[in-house]
Amino acid sequence: MSTNPIIPSNFIQNMIDEDLRNQKYGEKVHTRFPPEPNGYLHIGHAKSICLNFGLARQYQGLCNLRFDDTNPVKEDVEYVESIQEDVKWLGFDWDDRMYYASDYFEKLYDCAVYLIQQGRAFVCDLTAQQMREYRGTLTEPGKESPYRNRSAAENLELFERMKAGEFPDGSRVLRAKIDMASPNLNMRDPVLYRISHSTHHRTGDQWCIYPMYDYAHPISDALENITHSICTLEFEDHRPLYDWVLEACDFPAPRPQQIEFARLNLNNTVMSKRKLRLLVEGGHVSGWDDPRMPTISGLRRRGYTPEAIRDFCDRIGVAKSNSTVDIAMLEHCIREDLNKRAARAMVVLRPLKLVIENYPEGQIEELVAENNPEDESMGTRTIPFGREIYIEQDDFMEVPVKKFFRLAPGQEVRLKHAYIIKCESVVKDEAGNLVEIRCSYDPETKSGGANSGRKVKGTLHWVCAAKAVKAEVRLYDYLLTDESEEAAEDFLANLNPNSLETISDCMAEPSLAEAKLGNRYQFLRQGYFAVDPDASPEKIVFNRVVGLRDSWAKAQKSS
Ligand code: ATP
Ligand code: MG
């Protein structure tokens, strides 16, 4: 997928090219996407998915889907299922190569036994607190555990008993025997196994010891013959341990190699499963697929297309240093995609009634409107026009401000696809509230007709009152009011109270009565909208995917 010829090759592609030149893995390129099933995937994962599956596609290699399920307390089948759905929806396929780290529990155990036999792992009885004290700091070396020199026989027996469930959680761990004086803290006798009497979503109560990520990951990679194990930057300091594990367990060369890239950060966006889960569990959003969530399922429900997300991932590229991407760029990608593909329609979000006094009562005419001015092949549709229509409340001002080119007493506007109208008077109720606007129309100015060329400054969208269908529209703003990284840290204190606005009495043109889940539209002057799964035959519901104003494209032009 990242085969866009305009985008220069990234440093990972350069490394793979180099490996291919040297025949390090022969002609093979084999990557994996290794999510932990402890939440729904977010847009950051999309970057990793596009990268791993994209490289496999580009080099005619393979990419596995592997669930990194070594932490039973937080994991769940619900997440396993949503992850598969999301990867597929993004347009990628693992064929028959879906694996679980838990498939390897037996092999991981055997490797640990081997490490003990080789004198390269030991059972340690220090408490967590003591371990921290013994670890040392960045400037001071650590101290060796008093249990470090247990005999292999004693270690084997204790490890066996750990596995048999004889010890409580936290009482003992298995540690690698590496170097307590290493400048790299990850190499100071890191923990390989811990005791956790908890039920695993796949292996049940079969195990009460679970391998640590830094131990399970390289071995899982090696067992699957992965060539390039791509992960995010925070694992850079773990790479020596990755290599140590594979070497110590005697995996034959060429071994998989870990390559780190910068994770995606977006402003105004919380991007960690842990935090997203707090939003869900705290009831701050309606669920993992709330259209305000940066999850793939949230973006999908909002109306994002997989094409736009892949395009975004291509454009942000792959770098070796962390940075924050402007969310306006993601919005630009979906706008660009939907501008080409979304059918146009007219919907009045906040209706104001307008009566055309010189239009015959009871008459309805069918006007022709193009479905997409960007794409003639999308054809045309008819829209009814009649004596009573709705326009937007804010398209009328009784006392217009300067440069208000919409409707005002005595002022003319064009109704899109229809006629030029002129405001003659207004009707108010006893309290002085505006009830309706009375206009006249010029029958000579029909759009597409001989005199359609007459120019007026404003063009309004509208719907025919007699034929309109009611719709609910949901407008979204960012979940975080503050765009800074600090705000994302303290995200619960920075939640935007106005991130969702529901307007339940919108008036839509009748063609939208047919709108189905998966359909996306441009509502003229209002933005791009998608049908929400809450829609029913009684009530259509639309999500605003994104508004029309493109701040990102504008910033690009002026820079
Ligand atoms: P989170 O903190 O959101 O749970 P994670 O890294 O713990 O993220 P995993 O399920 O372990 O989530 O991630 C699966 C893969 O996705 C990993 O290879 C990880 O590096 C990658 N990934 C996660 N977040 C991002 C991100 N923001 N940008 C790019 N890749 C990411
Ligand atoms: Mg994680």
Side-chain angles (χ1 to χ4, degrees):
M1 276 297 151
S2 59
T3 48
N4 188 330
I6 306 166
I7 293 168
S9 66
N10 62 53
F11 77 96
I12 299 180
Q13 289 162 327
N14 295 341
M15 287 174 83
I16 293 176
D17 290 339
E18 174 80 13
D19 288 341
L20 289 171
R21 253 195 310 281
N22 298 331
Q23 291 281 294
K24 179 167 177 188
Y25 305 99
E27 299 299 325
K28 258 182 51 173
V29 174
H30 201 150
T31 57
R32 84 289 169 263
F33 172 63
E36 183 182 356
N38 61 349
Y40 282 59
L41 298 182
H42 52 61
I43 180 78
H45 295 110
K47 176 174 179 176
S48 177
I49 292 167
C50 289
L51 180 59
N52 280 295
F53 282 94
L55 285 169
R57 194 172 283 181
Q58 184 190 349
Y59 289 95
Q60 279 121 49
L62 299 170
C63 180
N64 297 355
L65 174 63
R66 183 199 313 143
F67 291 101
D68 171 26
D69 56 347
T70 53
N71 192 1
V73 193
K74 297 189 201 151
E75 295 161 4
D76 199 276
V77 276
E78 178 193 350
Y79 304 136
V80 169
E81 280 159 15
S82 73
I83 288 170
Q84 293 176 55
E85 186 185 354
D86 289 349
V87 174
K88 285 206 177 128
W89 179 77
L90 275 175
F92 298 104
D93 195 352
W94 52 87
D95 302 313
D96 56 352
R97 295 178 317 282
M98 183 171 88
Y99 302 113
Y100 294 85
S102 56
D103 291 338
Y104 311 134
F105 280 172
E106 204 68 52
K107 283 176 179 147
L108 289 161
Y109 180 80
D110 292 344
C111 286
V113 167
Y114 179 76
L115 290 178
I116 295 172
Q117 287 166 341
Q118 299 296 307
R120 302 186 83 170
F122 66 100
V123 173
C124 183
D125 306 358
L126 291 180
T127 63
Q129 172 64 25
Q130 288 169 325
M131 287 242 292
R132 263 192 301 279
E133 286 160 17
Y134 275 69
R135 190 178 298 131
T137 65
L138 282 173
T139 49
E140 283 168 60
K143 265 195 325 201
E144 292 189 350
S145 161
Y147 305 98
R148 198 175 199 263
N149 295 314
R150 277 176 165 157
S151 69
E154 189 185 355
N155 280 319
L156 282 174
E157 191 213 314
L158 284 171
F159 189 49
E160 176 70 43
R161 290 173 61 196
M162 277 169 66
K163 181 190 179 215
E166 291 188 25
F167 309 122
D169 290 5
S171 58
R172 287 189 162 87
V173 291
L174 183 74
R175 295 174 72 177
K177 198 190 279 190
I178 308 181
D179 179 8
M180 287 310 289
S182 170
N184 184 340
L185 269 65
N186 295 297
M187 300 299 273
R188 294 185 187 170
D189 294 3
V191 174
L192 305 179
Y193 265 91
R194 68 210 158 83
I195 301 172
S196 174
H197 292 267
S198 43
T199 305
H200 187 279
H201 69 101
R202 293 189 74 240
T203 58
D205 294 323
Q206 195 188 336
W207 295 87
C208 62
I209 52 170
Y210 290 95
M212 303 302 288
Y213 174 89
D214 280 338
Y215 172 71
H217 205 81
I219 296 179
S220 305
D221 282 344
L223 291 172
E224 291 176 20
N225 292 310
I226 299 303
T227 57
H228 301 85
S229 177
I230 299 165
C231 65
T232 41
L233 224 47
E234 63 273 21
F235 288 100
E236 194 167 19
D237 289 344
H238 298 233
R239 196 191 324 146
L241 179 54
Y242 182 100
D243 293 336
W244 183 92
V245 168
L246 293 181
E247 182 270 322
C249 292
D250 259 347
F251 280 95
R255 300 186 186 113
Q257 60 177 317
Q258 176 180 306
I259 304 170
E260 309 86 16
F261 72 102
R263 68 194 296 121
L264 170 67
N265 299 306
L266 279 179
N267 53 357
N268 294 89
T269 308
V270 180
M271 195 131 51
S272 127
K273 279 180 278 175
R274 186 183 62 79
K275 290 181 183 168
L276 294 173
R277 182 167 8 165
L278 289 177
L279 290 176
V280 174
E281 286 169 357
H284 303 288
V285 292
S286 64
W288 286 98
D289 71 342
D290 186 300
R292 291 166 291 178
M293 292 279 272
T295 51
I296 296 179
S297 50
L299 292 166
R300 173 166 65 235
R301 180 165 179 181
R302 175 92 165 238
Y304 270 79
T305 60
E307 289 82 359
I309 295 177
R310 291 200 304 258
D311 179 35
F312 172 71
C313 292
D314 271 351
R315 289 184 196 219
I316 54 179
V318 182
K320 260 197 275 204
S321 58
N322 280 315
S323 64
T324 298
V325 173
D326 191 344
I327 192 159
M329 187 169 160
L330 176 62
E331 295 166 354
H332 171 78
C333 292
I334 185 64
R335 255 186 218 108
E336 206 173 69
D337 190 29
L338 292 185
N339 182 40
K340 286 180 289 189
R341 310 198 317 179
R344 274 46 174 174
M346 293 202 286
V347 176
V348 173
L349 302 190
R350 296 173 185 85
L352 172 62
K353 197 163 164 197
L354 186 155
V355 180
I356 300 165
E357 293 173 319
N358 60 339
Y359 194 88
E361 218 148 325
Q363 178 176 311
I364 298 284
E365 69 183 295
E366 294 289 337
L367 303 171
V368 178
E370 83 251 316
N371 284 331
N372 188 339
E374 304 284 320
D375 182 358
E376 261 182 38
S377 74
M378 287 176 70
T380 59
R381 68 191 185 287
T382 58
I383 35 178
F385 182 77
R387 179 180 158 89
E388 296 193 354
I389 64 170
Y390 295 113
I391 63 165
E392 295 288 347
Q393 287 167 15
D394 62 8
D395 278 339
F396 176 81
M397 279 187 100
E398 199 173 356
V399 184
V401 294
K402 243 184 163 177
K403 294 203 174 166
F404 186 78
F405 298 126
R406 293 173 266 170
L407 205 58
Q411 217 158 284
E412 280 189 322
V413 294
R414 172 169 288 284
L415 296 174
K416 182 74 180 174
H417 302 306
Y419 300 94
I420 291 175
I421 56 167
K422 180 176 178 185
C423 175
E424 304 289 353
S425 63
V426 300
V427 178
K428 291 182 178 174
D429 64 14
E430 278 165 16
N433 299 312
L434 194 58
V435 177
E436 66 181 38
I437 305 178
R438 315 285 295 189
C439 291
S440 60
Y441 86 118
D442 179 351
E444 299 297 312
T445 56
K446 187 169 174 172
S447 287
N451 290 326
S452 65
R454 180 150 84 84
K455 285 273 185 296
V456 286
K457 281 203 167 130
T459 300
L460 308 186
H461 63 281
W462 54 274
V463 294
C464 174
K467 300 284 181 180
V469 290
K470 273 203 174 165
E472 176 177 312
V473 162
R474 298 174 183 171
L475 305 178
Y476 302 102
D477 198 350
Y478 303 123
L479 272 174
L480 295 187
T481 41
D482 191 322
E483 64 170 52
S484 67
E485 238 170 84
E486 296 74 60
E489 266 320 301
D490 191 15
F491 65 106
L492 289 178
N494 284 291
L495 288 182
N496 177 3
N498 305 313
S499 57
L500 167 64
E501 182 185 359
T502 302
I503 314 176
S504 36
D505 295 313
C506 305
M507 291 293 177
E509 65 168 80
S511 70
L512 289 176
E514 313 291 317
K516 285 188 294 293
L517 191 60
N519 290 165
R520 300 175 179 90
Y521 302 90
Q522 185 195 92
F523 293 171
L524 295 185
R525 301 174 65 226
Q526 300 289 5
Y528 293 98
F529 291 78
V531 178
D532 187 85
D534 282 347
S536 66
E538 291 75 49
K539 187 177 75 169
I540 346 168
V541 181
F542 293 102
N543 294 316
R544 179 147 74 186
V545 190
V546 68
L548 290 175
R549 243 193 37 213
D550 194 333
S551 57
W552 190 78
K554 217 173 141 196
Q556 296 303 301
K557 263 188 208 144
S558 62
S559 70

